Amino acid sequence: MKARMTLLILFLMPSSLLAGDDFQYWSRLQVKAIDTRYVDYINYWDLRFCEGASHLGFWQTSQKVQVDAFENLGFGAAYTYLEAEAGSSELKYQHRLELEALPRWKFGRININNRDRFEFRWIEGKGSDNGRFRQLWEFEFPFKAKSKPLAFYCSNEFFLDCKARTINENQVVPAGIVIPLSRRSSLKVFYMLQSRKKDTWSSSHILGTHLSFAL
């Protein structure tokens, strides 16, 4: 176990060294409207507050179909509409078609989730030649506190701009917790370090919550 934790620390450390001063709050509400063994239909909505968590700089809504074709592999397709600040206080719209492969494994009590996503992005003022690839790795460690099931997790995701052929964003979660609220709902609370590259790298500290329901 000590060796595994050491590897995770080394995996997460590089981005942590880039921390800047900006603080943000990210919130997501997710509703799984169809929940079956092989096919799920999921809706989610995001709000992101920047500049000391006092200013809404991003919002999005997504509809996703996920197919769990195999025990250790699923596939997803989603449409996302979002508006985000782009170098000014003005919000710019974006349409996205997202295609995902979702491998997952279980080793003892540790759950390992991977997401490989390609995004076809239509961005206001920039047209449709804005493809992007994202890869996420998440490690989840279930445990109990006073007989209540909980889970600690950490993750890392990098973003590859296909047009510029460069990695220009990384999101690392060194610490997050999953709290079941009922049989079909849960709350995630996490700390994230987001690093982004324009001319140089800059970073933001993020406190996030994800509230999930299954109907």
Side-chain angles (χ1 to χ4, degrees):
M1 179 59 73
K2 289 183 179 179
R4 291 172 182 171
M5 294 305 296
T6 300
L7 287 173
L8 284 175
I9 290 170
L10 292 173
F11 170 69
L12 297 169
M13 184 180 294
S15 294
S16 300
L17 299 176
L18 299 172
D21 295 325
D22 188 29
F23 172 73
Q24 302 183 18
Y25 171 65
W26 292 9
S27 176
R28 169 175 290 186
L29 172 63
Q30 177 176 298
V31 177
K32 187 180 290 188
I34 298 176
D35 184 13
T36 70
R37 181 177 179 181
Y38 296 108
V39 180
D40 299 327
Y41 174 64
I42 305 164
N43 294 275
Y44 58 89
W45 302 265
D46 288 74
L47 298 175
R48 298 180 184 178
F49 296 88
C50 56
E51 298 177 6
S54 63
H55 173 71
L56 179 63
F58 177 104
W59 71 270
Q60 75 175 13
T61 177
S62 297
Q63 298 80 44
K64 175 181 175 181
V65 175
Q66 181 171 319
V67 178
D68 294 314
F70 307 98
E71 180 180 0
N72 297 105
L73 179 63
F75 299 96
Y79 166 73
T80 295
Y81 175 82
L82 66 88
E83 294 187 4
E85 291 182 346
S88 67
S89 59
E90 183 182 1
L91 294 174
K92 299 287 188 178
Y93 69 78
Q94 184 178 143
H95 300 273
R96 288 204 313 234
L97 171 64
E98 303 166 0
L99 303 178
E100 301 176 344
L102 303 162
R104 52 190 177 266
W105 303 270
K106 185 177 180 67
F107 295 96
R109 298 183 61 187
I110 301 174
N111 299 314
I112 301 177
N113 300 308
N114 170 240
R115 183 182 69 199
D116 300 292
R117 173 191 288 176
F118 191 86
E119 298 175 338
F120 300 88
R121 302 186 297 166
W122 290 262
I123 302 175
E124 182 179 1
K126 294 184 178 180
S128 60
D129 185 17
N130 299 288
R132 183 168 69 176
F133 175 74
R134 302 167 55 170
Q135 185 176 83
L136 169 72
W137 286 93
E138 180 182 272
F139 301 84
E140 185 180 82
F141 306 85
F143 68 98
K144 287 187 177 182
K146 295 183 178 180
S147 300
K148 183 178 180 63
L150 302 169
F152 170 82
Y153 74 94
C154 53
S155 66
N156 193 82
E157 182 173 22
F158 72 83
F159 296 65
L160 173 66
D161 186 320
C162 297
K163 185 176 181 179
R165 298 184 180 181
T166 185
I167 294 175
N168 58 11
E169 184 173 346
N170 193 77
Q171 296 179 359
V172 58
V173 176
I177 189 167
V178 183
I179 307 169
L181 301 177
S182 69
R183 189 174 63 87
R184 300 182 66 80
S185 64
S186 66
L187 174 67
K188 279 187 174 182
V189 181
F190 61 90
Y191 163 72
M192 175 190 287
L193 183 65
Q194 179 194 43
S195 301
R196 306 181 74 179
K197 182 180 181 182
K198 292 184 179 178
D199 295 325
T200 60
W201 284 96
S202 61
S203 299
S204 300
H205 299 277
I206 297 161
L207 174 65
T209 57
H210 289 180
L211 182 60
S212 301
F213 296 91
L215 302 180

